[in-house]
Amino acid sequence: MNLQTTGTGSASGKRVITKGLTGFVKLLLIVYAILTLYPLYWLFTSAFKSNQDFFTNPYGLPTEWMTENLFRAWELGNMGRAMLNSTVVTITAVVLTILLSVLAAYVLSRFEFRFKKLVVVLFTTGLLIPIHSTLVPLFIMMKNIGLLDTYGALILPYTAFELPIAIFLAMAYMSSIPREIEEAAMIDGSGWWGIFGRMILPLCTPIVATISILAFLRFWNDFSFALVFINTQALKTLPLSLSLFSDGFGTDYSLTMGAMAIAVIPTIVAYLILQEQIMKGMVAGSIKG
């Protein structure tokens, strides 16, 4: 009888401890979520404040909701054209990054050939190159070949610098795909391109989504490359249009926050659409790769 009572009490104590730990973890996650989402809350509330309200009431809700901040920022910053430029550059660079990285990763993860390790090392070394240290030589190169002030001046460097991490992630993910799938397809008469297009690529949807959002965030928010390589007003991207609201004499914070609120919306939408696939890609690539 005493043994039964002791066993029941021990099990009950373990359940209490387990529930306590679970509750504590949930509390930590809630706190983390609040800390993560608060900057967005602050940005969107600040976008509707006047400059005076921004300084006197920085953390509270606007005393007067000034929706005209968004319309003025859109018009004065020529954000429609800037958003179109950013969209063209970002989407094109993302598509090129996905296409080249997935093809390269497929060859490196599924085939054996001479100097394979050297090729992998070369791609991995690309992760160690400080991107901004290449601005001057890239500027000279772009000038010599006539690419300055064109979409290509941004698309090509974006793709080149994103390829190492994209290939690394895609290789780790593809290595987890069983080779029996390819063997069965070859028995059925499929060639390598057929296997890649009809079987491997659909299975790589999670890692493609992960690469897409990482590349999208990097390209959409880039300022330094656009500042150096683009001088024509008609080709300026969103980050450059945001800088128009600040000069050497001061900053119009109401318009700046309004413009930033507009600029961040596509990023949020892209993440919400791809978030499930992103998590699958990151987990599969990290565990099985």
Side-chain angles (χ1 to χ4, degrees), residues 44-72:
F44 283 107
T45 55
S46 298
F48 295 96
K49 295 179 180 179
S50 63
N51 281 320
Q52 181 180 357
D53 196 16
F54 179 82
F55 288 105
T56 58
N57 183 31
Y59 305 113
L61 293 173
T63 54
E64 180 183 356
W65 292 81
M66 302 186 65
T67 55
E68 62 268 22
N69 287 347
L70 301 180
F71 297 103
R72 288 182 60 208

Side-chain angles (χ1 to χ4, degrees), residues 104 107-117 119-120:
V107 172
L108 293 174
S109 63
R110 315 304 281 187
F111 296 93
E112 295 295 332
F113 54 90
R114 195 177 182 185
F115 303 122
K116 173 183 174 180
K117 292 184 178 180
V119 174
V120 173

Side-chain angles (χ1 to χ4, degrees), residues 4-261:
Q4 291 178 351
T5 304
T6 302
T8 304
S10 176
S12 175
K14 289 181 179 179
R15 284 197 295 269
V16 171
I17 293 174
T18 302
K19 288 182 179 179
L21 290 175
T22 303
F24 180 69
V25 170
K26 289 181 178 179
L27 178 61
L28 288 179
L29 291 175
I30 291 172
V31 172
Y32 177 75
I34 293 173
L35 293 176
T36 303
L37 294 175
Y38 180 78
L40 283 177
Y41 160 81
W42 181 81
L43 171 62
F44 283 107
T45 55
S46 298
F48 295 96
K49 295 179 180 179
S50 63
N51 281 320
Q52 181 180 357
D53 196 16
F54 179 82
F55 288 105
T56 58
N57 183 31
Y59 305 113
L61 293 173
T63 54
E64 180 183 356
W65 292 81
M66 302 186 65
T67 55
E68 62 268 22
N69 287 347
L70 301 180
F71 297 103
R72 288 182 60 208
W74 180 273
E75 182 179 354
L76 294 177
N78 196 18
M79 295 190 67
R81 181 66 187 183
M83 186 168 289
L84 175 62
N85 293 333
S86 288
T87 301
V88 170
V89 169
T90 300
I91 296 301
T92 306
V94 167
V95 170
L96 280 176
T97 300
I98 293 172
L99 179 62
L100 296 176
S101 63
V102 171
L103 286 172
Y106 179 61
V107 172
L108 293 174
S109 63
R110 315 304 281 187
F111 296 93
E112 295 295 332
F113 54 90
R114 195 177 182 185
F115 303 122
K116 173 183 174 180
K117 292 184 178 180
L118 177 61
V119 174
V120 173
V121 169
L122 287 176
F123 279 124
T124 307
T125 304
L127 297 171
L128 307 177
I129 299 175
I131 295 177
H132 298 97
S133 66
T134 64
L135 283 173
V136 173
L138 277 176
F139 179 86
I140 296 173
M141 185 186 302
M142 296 287 182
K143 183 179 179 181
N144 291 337
I145 62 178
L147 271 181
L148 284 180
D149 269 345
T150 65
Y151 287 140
L154 297 178
I155 293 172
L156 296 179
Y158 286 170
T159 303
F161 283 110
E162 192 67 19
L163 278 177
I165 183 63
I167 292 173
F168 181 79
L169 292 174
M171 279 181 59
Y173 188 87
M174 287 186 186
S175 298
S176 68
I177 299 176
R179 293 184 179 271
E180 288 78 5
I181 295 177
E182 295 166 288
E183 295 172 359
M186 293 187 72
I187 292 175
D188 291 337
S190 294
W192 289 113
W193 282 107
I195 294 172
F196 175 76
R198 292 196 297 269
M199 305 189 71
I200 300 298
L201 195 56
L203 291 174
C204 289
T205 300
I207 198 62
V208 167
T210 302
I211 294 171
S212 299
I213 194 63
L214 291 177
F216 181 90
L217 291 174
R218 192 187 305 272
F219 304 159
W220 187 266
N221 296 319
D222 176 71
F223 179 79
S224 57
F225 276 59
L227 179 65
V228 174
F229 300 147
I230 301 296
N231 293 318
T232 305
Q233 184 65 35
L235 294 177
K236 289 185 181 296
T237 55
L238 268 178
L240 292 182
S241 70
L242 297 179
S243 65
L244 297 176
F245 302 109
S246 178
D247 54 30
F249 301 98
T251 300
D252 191 327
Y253 287 99
S254 61
L255 295 184
T256 301
M257 294 299 169
M260 290 178 64

Side-chain angles (χ1 to χ4, degrees), residues 265-284:
I265 289 175
T267 302
I268 297 174
V269 172
Y271 180 78
L272 291 177
I273 293 174
L274 299 174
Q275 61 174 333
E276 183 178 355
Q277 297 298 330
I278 291 169
M279 295 307 298
K280 288 180 181 178
M282 293 298 287
V283 172

